[in-house]
Amino acid sequence: MFKQLYNEATLTLRIEPEGPMLIKAGEGGADPTRPDMEFVRTIYQGRETIYLPGSSLKGVIRAHCERLARTVQPDDVAGELSKRRLSCDPLHEKISCSQQWEKEKEDLAGKAEEIYRRSCFVCRLFGNTRLASRMRVTDAYPDDPERVKTEERNGVAIDRVFGSVAVGPFNYEVATSGTFTCRIQVRNFTIAQLGLLALALRDFEMQRVGVGFAKSRGLGMVKACVTEVAFRYPACTLKETLTLPGSNKPGTPPTQLAGAGKFIPGESYGLDDGDSIALPDGVVLTADDWGEPYVTLTDDAQIKALWRECVKAWRQVVEQVVGGRW
Ligand SMILES: [Zn+2]
């Protein structure tokens, strides 16, 4: 989409199970001593361990962002492709951003800006069949493999009509303790995108989001917390202000966080020129030894203060959509 890498946010997320959690491995193994449903495993630091795959975590985060976006999106906007929408429904043929192109077999080669404009807010962050995702989530590995505990549980599936056992008994493996850390990277972010992501992560932190197998039955409750947020601006220079060489847009003071709208030329992407917010008190951008502007936040209160400012930008987008101005 955007040829240049203007900015990049890297969030470190620590996840801890609050009760039993299972992210299923793809296929049952041939080993009869193993449970029927096993946790995904990998070799990490030379030993076998369970882990939380980045693709599963990204799916859970996306689904929650869609949910948050849909609760504030007016119904008449949700059902119409021609309207600017906060979230489509990727599983709904008529209103999915991806499906609108597949049905008509439209030739969209070289029309990156048009694809972007016709994609919903959530697709612009997470991607769709024609738009690359701006976000990447790494696998979450245990901080200390010694502290990871797994247990075997037994279950049956009950037939809804007859009340008899439909499947099972089967046994499944759950993780009950340990902490896992992953990184979430967002390239060419806008402040409003960070705002929606921050809201979704807040709900993780408040244990409102489940991960993995049998969420509806209460499995997979996790406690998650963002322990570090780092921003860098690889294409920019920092003197008095943060500026993109060759750009005619005004620079951003080092006490502010600049979103992609501050750099992307032209009106075509419909990005907001004023895409910046104040960094928390005492936090400023500096240049590293290589001259690259960056800032890192590790203090919980500062991270929360930053998120609150980002959420304001997201709410502005919501107001624009509700008012038909986006
Ligand atoms: Zn969409």
Side-chain angles (χ1 to χ4, degrees):
M1 178 178 46
F2 307 124
K3 285 178 198 80
Q4 226 172 339
L5 175 58
Y6 304 108
N7 63 17
E8 183 182 80
T10 306
L11 284 60
T12 306
L13 184 71
R14 198 180 56 216
I15 303 165
E16 194 178 341
E18 274 285 295
M21 166 177 71
L22 166 62
I23 298 183
K24 280 195 287 181
E27 282 167 33
D31 183 350
T33 62
R34 292 277 213 189
D36 302 323
M37 283 195 270
E38 250 192 313
F39 215 106
V40 278
R41 281 185 157 68
T42 188
I43 304 291
Y44 177 63
Q45 292 179 347
R47 58 183 287 176
E48 196 188 72
T49 173
I50 63 165
Y51 75 108
L52 319 180
S55 53
S56 305
L57 296 172
K58 187 178 171 189
V60 171
I61 298 170
R62 177 178 188 143
H64 196 62
C65 284
E66 285 173 2
R67 216 171 292 141
L68 290 170
R70 277 198 221 112
T71 52
V72 289
Q73 177 168 264
D75 281 347
D76 64 313
V77 172
E80 252 184 82
L81 277 174
S82 58
K83 297 205 167 148
R84 295 283 175 83
R85 298 172 305 161
L86 294 173
S87 175
C88 67
D89 183 348
L91 302 175
H92 194 303
E93 199 189 323
K94 288 207 176 83
I95 53 171
S96 138
C97 293
S98 295
Q99 291 285 339
Q100 63 178 317
W101 299 302
E102 303 317 318
K103 261 191 308 221
E104 282 143 42
K105 305 253 177 295
E106 260 182 86
D107 183 18
L108 290 161
K111 293 187 185 162
E113 290 170 22
E114 193 187 325
I115 293 170
Y116 183 87
R117 263 183 287 130
R118 285 168 58 187
S119 293
C120 70
F121 187 92
V122 172
C123 281
R124 289 180 188 183
L125 176 57
F126 291 91
N128 57 38
T129 54
R130 299 297 180 101
L131 192 67
S133 173
R134 293 201 211 185
M135 188 162 129
R136 208 173 78 89
V137 182
T138 67
D139 295 336
Y141 296 114
D143 298 317
D144 177 3
E146 297 287 333
R147 287 188 48 227
V148 172
K149 288 207 170 56
T150 60
E151 290 171 16
E152 218 177 289
R153 301 274 170 107
N154 293 300
V156 288
I158 301 294
D159 185 293
R160 284 182 208 196
V161 178
F162 301 107
S164 53
V165 173
V167 185
F170 55 87
N171 49 355
Y172 57 96
E173 183 187 34
V174 292
T176 52
S177 66
T179 57
F180 302 81
T181 297
C182 72
R183 292 215 156 70
I184 301 174
Q185 221 169 46
V186 192
R187 299 182 141 202
N188 291 333
F189 62 83
T190 66
I191 301 296
Q193 285 176 336
L194 289 186
L196 176 59
L197 184 59
L199 277 182
L201 295 175
R202 176 206 61 180
D203 285 352
F204 265 79
E205 201 161 331
M206 299 180 86
Q207 298 166 39
R208 291 176 180 161
V209 186
V211 173
F213 174 71
K215 289 192 283 283
S216 58
R217 276 178 281 142
L219 247 64
M221 292 319 291
V222 295
K223 204 157 60 185
C225 122
V226 176
T227 56
E228 187 183 289
V229 187
F231 301 98
R232 63 186 196 102
Y233 294 86
C236 297
T237 56
L238 180 65
K239 284 176 190 128
E240 261 120 69
T241 58
L242 180 78
T243 30
L244 181 71
S247 161
N248 55 8
K249 297 208 173 191
T252 313
T255 51
Q256 291 193 2
L257 182 73
K262 282 293 219 178
F263 311 106
I264 290 160
E267 301 289 300
S268 46
Y269 283 99
L271 287 171
D272 181 9
D273 249 6
D275 192 14
S276 66
I277 49 163
L279 284 163
D281 281 346
V283 180
V284 282
L285 274 175
T286 43
D288 70 7
D289 294 346
W290 306 87
E292 187 177 275
Y294 81 103
V295 64
T296 303
L297 286 80
T298 52
D299 179 77
D300 190 54
Q302 286 182 337
I303 293 174
K304 293 242 162 60
L306 182 85
W307 285 160
R308 277 195 292 273
E309 291 303 309
C310 293
V311 169
K312 283 182 197 163
W314 156 250
R315 290 204 208 288
Q316 270 169 17
V317 172
V318 173
E319 276 163 27
Q320 284 167 0
V321 168
V322 174
R325 284 173 282 114
W326 189 50

